[in-house]
Amino acid sequence: MKNTPQEILQKTFGYTSFRHQQEEIIKNILAQRDTFVLMPTGGGKSLCYQIPGLLLDGLTIVICPLIALMKEQVDALRMNGIAAAYLNSTLPYEEQRQIKKQVSENKLKLLYLAPERLLRTENEFISFLKNLHVSLVAIDEAHCISAWGHDFRPEYSMLSRLKRDFPQVPVIALTATADRLTRIDILEKLELHDPATFISSFNRPNIRYGVEPKRGSFEKLLNFLDDHREDAGIIYCLSRNSVETLAQNLSQEGFKALPYHAGLDKEVRGKHQELFLKDEIKIIVATIAFGMGINKSNVRYVVHMDLPKSIEGYYQETGRAGRDGLSSEALLFYSYADVNKLKGFAAIENNDKQTGINLQKLDRMAAYGEIKTCRRKFLLNYFDEQAPSHCGNCDVCLTGFETFDGTILA
């Protein structure tokens, strides 16, 4: 007799109960229905396809754009005794050949792939998969398929053919950040058949949102960190050079801080990440190359030294704080000079539509930095979620602004 989703949740993953809408999502997939899931960072999206992947007879294919995220998830699955592997450009040819052999011999339950791996070499890999028993396709970070998404990747647009190549196989598309236009676009681009749609609340009540003027940001950061000396935190900077400089300056001030960005040697990045995950260092200073799929529950704060390019990116990065549900902080240092700098990066050559979308998202990010009303309400409204005008846990709601009648002055 087969296990139930609840038994898999407890025996394999060690959780006592489902969160958000996980159980309903899993039931839909087991009923062979295409499914769209919008669940905030830290909400447990991966279990929504991992548990059905273990219950269904064949192979589950997981499309994932990030090598670090693939490795993180596969390592965690293997530690739980699950037959999982990933194929990407970092693996030597012989190891890739061995994994394909395991797949052919039905020895794997989950296989993680980058989208370009799936669709390159004249569809050779699609043909290979067609000879197997594929029972589920999961598309993680599904916002990457939409030009309206904050991390559009052209290679993702080719995934629309999956429903044509595997018409009987259910597809689950998952994302942590998508506004209404992006959600509509994802469903259209992937050509899902009458999908069940699950949208969880974006509210993270345990995170306190705050914005400070950027002038004197290093001194302000030191004061902030003095109150968090025993806490783990992530500090995001826009450039690799800023990351290196800030990590060095914090180390000189007596803080256990290390840098993380794509320009560092792979082994150095891996070592720094591991030291952070094990709490042997307290602070990781990083570009947005760090964080996707990082399963560290006790991050107490996320600081942005520079303005993110979009609300979606900001929300996803701040969501790495407080995954254990305990009180946490998200601090942004804001200056309009950052807005002007980012406008230069927003332009996409020969693509006025994408440039316009990027500038529109940047304008909303700038508005967040300047508002004098509840920041949580602004964030939730951006994602089409209603919210009260006073949350009681952001800098605006915790600060009294003095008002007066300015009619005569005006």
Side-chain angles (χ1 to χ4, degrees):
M1 184 178 167
K2 270 195 171 182
N3 285 319
T4 65
Q6 181 72 41
E7 286 168 340
I8 295 281
L9 180 75
Q10 291 176 339
K11 291 176 185 175
T12 305
F13 294 99
Y15 298 109
T16 54
S17 60
F18 286 107
R19 299 170 61 199
H20 300 296
Q21 298 164 296
Q22 287 173 326
E23 191 168 15
E24 292 81 3
I25 293 164
I26 290 165
K27 284 177 181 173
N28 265 276
I29 296 165
L30 294 176
Q32 303 291 301
R33 189 173 179 191
D34 286 350
T35 306
F36 173 76
V37 175
L38 177 60
M39 191 180 285
T41 300
K45 290 187 297 300
S46 55
L47 288 179
C48 295
Y49 58 82
Q50 289 171 349
I51 289 177
L54 295 178
L55 289 167
L56 294 166
D57 286 335
L59 176 73
T60 290
I61 301 294
V62 183
I63 312 298
C64 177
L66 296 151
I67 288 170
L69 179 55
M70 280 187 211
K71 184 178 184 313
E72 183 85 14
Q73 293 214 0
V74 168
D75 286 349
L77 288 166
R78 286 174 175 169
M79 283 179 67
N80 285 325
I82 297 164
Y86 61 85
L87 281 173
N88 61 42
S89 56
T90 67
L91 296 178
Y93 172 77
E94 180 55 30
E95 194 171 342
Q96 294 191 38
R97 194 183 68 78
Q98 285 296 329
I99 290 169
K100 284 183 73 174
K101 185 169 181 285
Q102 285 181 294
V103 171
S104 300
E105 294 171 353
N106 299 318
K107 289 180 178 176
L108 291 179
K109 287 302 290 176
L110 291 105
L111 179 65
Y112 284 70
L113 299 169
E116 57 272 21
R117 173 71 202 218
L118 183 70
L119 299 162
R120 72 181 184 187
T121 59
E122 298 178 346
N123 305 319
E124 175 196 329
F125 203 80
I126 288 277
S127 301
F128 167 69
L129 292 177
K130 279 184 174 179
N131 293 317
L132 306 171
H133 180 193
V134 176
S135 57
L136 174 64
V137 175
I139 300 173
D140 209 357
E141 309 297 332
H143 56 268
C144 294
I145 200 172
S146 172
W148 286 98
H150 68 287
D151 193 17
F152 174 57
R153 297 180 183 231
E155 65 270 20
Y156 250 62
S157 59
M158 297 181 284
L159 296 179
S160 59
R161 60 167 293 175
L162 281 171
K163 282 307 292 184
R164 282 167 265 162
D165 286 316
F166 300 96
Q168 305 307 317
V169 177
V171 171
I172 176 170
L174 310 101
T175 177
T177 47
D179 58 14
R180 186 177 56 82
L181 283 172
T182 305
R183 296 199 292 266
I184 293 167
D185 205 24
I186 290 168
L187 296 178
E188 287 178 356
K189 292 268 190 353
L190 288 176
E191 299 179 18
L192 302 184
H193 297 160
D194 186 27
T197 300
F198 296 89
I199 300 174
S200 299
S201 171
F202 279 87
N203 191 18
R204 296 286 301 280
N206 62 313
I207 297 179
R208 181 158 74 247
Y209 297 99
V211 176
E212 291 264 6
K214 195 168 180 176
R215 185 184 295 274
S217 58
F218 183 65
E219 288 73 23
K220 290 174 183 174
L221 177 65
L222 291 179
N223 290 333
F224 175 84
L225 294 177
D226 267 335
D227 295 331
H228 293 275
R229 281 201 174 264
E230 299 306 311
D231 296 334
I234 304 170
I235 303 174
Y236 285 108
C237 301
L238 196 59
S239 72
R240 297 174 184 182
N241 187 46
S242 300
V243 164
E244 294 278 359
T245 303
L246 183 57
Q248 190 175 359
N249 289 343
L250 288 176
S251 295
Q252 288 170 354
E253 294 289 338
F255 293 97
K256 292 181 178 178
L258 285 175
Y260 187 106
H261 58 74
L264 290 171
D265 183 76
K266 179 187 163 189
E267 286 183 11
V268 173
R269 283 202 313 271
K271 183 183 176 187
H272 289 187
Q273 178 175 309
E274 191 176 343
L275 288 169
F276 180 64
L277 290 173
K278 289 179 176 177
D279 274 329
E280 290 180 27
I281 61 156
K282 291 297 183 185
I283 302 168
I284 203 89
V285 185
T287 59
I288 57 170
F290 180 82
M292 299 300 285
I294 300 304
N295 189 17
K296 184 172 172 64
S297 63
N298 67 333
V299 173
R300 289 278 69 86
Y301 59 87
V302 170
V303 177
H304 284 83
M305 301 302 291
D306 305 298
L307 191 72
K309 297 174 186 175
S310 68
I311 293 289
E312 290 95 334
Y314 173 73
Y315 177 83
Q316 193 167 49
E317 287 145 26
T318 58
R320 286 163 196 150
R323 289 189 174 198
D324 53 11
L326 300 180
S327 179
S328 304
E329 291 191 60
L331 173 62
L332 165 68
F333 289 109
Y334 174 77
S335 98
Y336 198 75
D338 275 358
V339 181
N340 286 328
K341 189 194 300 181
L342 287 170
K343 280 181 178 176
F345 298 130
I348 306 294
E349 196 174 346
N350 301 321
N351 193 335
D352 291 342
K353 181 187 174 186
Q354 189 63 50
T355 299
I357 291 170
N358 292 349
L359 288 170
Q360 192 177 324
K361 289 185 179 294
L362 180 58
D363 283 344
R364 298 308 292 152
M365 191 65 238
Y368 173 82
E370 295 177 356
I371 56 167
K372 293 291 183 282
T373 55
C374 176
R375 296 197 198 276
R376 189 180 311 276
K377 178 177 170 61
F378 183 96
L379 291 172
L380 295 178
N381 287 174
Y382 181 87
F383 293 111
D384 300 302
E385 185 174 336
Q386 294 305 306
S389 298
H390 186 279
C391 76
N393 199 24
C394 75
D395 59 341
V396 177
C397 291
L398 292 168
T399 306
F401 286 94
E402 189 178 337
T403 59
F404 65 96
D405 186 342
T407 311
I408 296 169
L409 275 175

